[in-house]
Amino acid sequence: MILELDCGNSFIKWRVLTGASGSVFSEGVVDSDQMLLSELKALAGLFLRKCRLVSVRTTEETGALIEALEQAFGVSVVCASPAREMSGVRNGYDDFERLGLDRWVAMLGGFHLASGACLVLDFGTAVTADFIASDGEHLGGFICPGMPLMRNQLRTHTRKIRYGDLAAERALASQAPGRSTVEAVERGCALMLQGFVLTQVEMARGYWGADFMVFITGGDANLVSGIVPQARIVPDLVFVGLAMACPLS
């Protein structure tokens, strides 16, 4: 069995693949290393051979997780690393090592699935957009605050904005103008994300006309999934690219 990890700023997304077929044996999302180890140890029939991961955390944090996995399961761990070019995609950053690894492997996955030009939109703690041309050239991208960051900034800097996660979830059941603070904030932030998507798609059309694919991924993908009907929702796009960045024999 192979353990795959996407170690983001706020959460760790994990899944275990069976070695023979590559089908998903189990998967989940946790908010700490300790919770990850606990959930994995609780899996009946788990027998890990290898692990591959992509991390945007510090070197120290990533190293501590790797050490914990090796001690707990005796598994070898391979990490995605920066590259100037891989799997037909050419990193567009002037300093290629500065491009976030989660963005990099998502681009690898998107270009592989599209077999041509694509726009990759990832909705997590931060929201990212990346443009990959049909020849694999990464034209660059954009980063803006995601839903958690926008919400928390308003809560932090505006004294009267106080509400819980359940109220936030209920507020997003509609996009009508808010009749309470929670509705106004949550729906306003969601509309900002949707506007971001439309801007990126228009920019992609300026580059490639109609000859490109749009991929939407990340924990808040559902907030924008209906904005671009032709977009493909791929929750595990990072894992698609991770398998390319870290092939395991």
Side-chain angles (χ1 to χ4, degrees):
M1 293 179 174
I2 297 173
L3 173 63
E4 296 185 323
L5 301 174
D6 174 9
C7 304
N9 293 296
S10 303
F11 299 99
I12 300 174
K13 186 175 183 180
W14 63 271
R15 71 178 187 180
V16 176
L17 304 179
T18 58
S21 63
S23 60
V24 177
F25 174 76
S26 187
E27 59 187 345
V29 179
V30 295
D31 60 5
S32 69
D33 296 0
Q34 293 72 25
M35 185 61 70
L36 172 66
L37 296 176
S38 177
E39 289 197 2
L40 290 174
K41 289 177 180 178
L43 290 177
L46 181 70
F47 182 70
L48 294 178
R49 292 189 307 109
K50 297 180 181 179
C51 170
R52 56 188 169 209
L53 66 82
V54 57
S55 175
V56 298
R57 300 182 172 193
T58 66
T59 301
E60 292 74 20
E61 290 171 328
T62 303
L65 175 57
I66 291 173
E67 183 178 354
L69 289 168
E70 291 174 340
Q71 291 181 354
F73 302 103
V75 65
S76 61
V77 182
V78 180
C79 298
S81 58
R84 173 64 71 187
E85 183 171 353
M86 182 178 290
S87 300
V89 180
R90 292 184 297 282
N91 193 315
Y93 263 29
D94 295 330
D95 181 356
F96 73 92
E97 294 182 335
R98 300 289 294 177
L99 177 66
L101 284 172
D102 54 345
R103 289 172 64 193
W104 175 238
V105 297
M107 285 193 290
L108 297 182
F111 186 71
H112 170 71
L113 294 177
S115 298
C118 60
L119 168 63
V120 177
L121 301 168
D122 192 339
F123 292 85
T125 303
V127 172
T128 61
D130 284 289
F131 299 79
I132 305 96
S134 59
D135 63 356
E137 184 71 26
H138 173 221
L139 305 182
F142 297 97
I143 304 173
C144 70
M147 197 71 171
L149 288 177
M150 288 192 287
R151 178 188 295 129
N152 290 337
Q153 283 295 302
L154 285 169
R155 285 175 174 172
T156 300
H157 295 288
T158 308
R159 293 182 181 179
K160 292 187 177 181
I161 295 181
R162 296 289 185 273
Y163 56 84
D165 292 339
L166 181 57
E169 183 178 347
R170 289 173 176 167
L172 289 170
S174 168
Q175 288 192 346
R179 298 176 67 88
S180 67
T181 298
V182 60
E183 290 179 353
V185 169
E186 292 297 313
R187 296 173 190 177
C189 290
L191 286 173
M192 289 185 70
L193 293 186
Q194 293 167 13
F196 178 82
V197 171
L198 294 175
T199 300
Q200 305 311 299
V201 172
E202 280 304 306
M203 189 172 292
R205 288 191 181 119
Y207 285 132
W208 307 308
D211 192 17
F212 67 97
M213 290 188 66
V214 180
F215 294 99
I216 296 178
T217 190
D220 283 327
N222 61 300
L223 296 178
V224 299
S225 58
I227 299 302
V228 184
Q230 72 271 27
R232 182 172 172 184
I233 311 299
V234 186
D236 294 328
L237 186 60
V238 165
F239 287 144
V240 174
L242 180 60
M244 301 166 67
C246 302
L248 300 173
S249 57

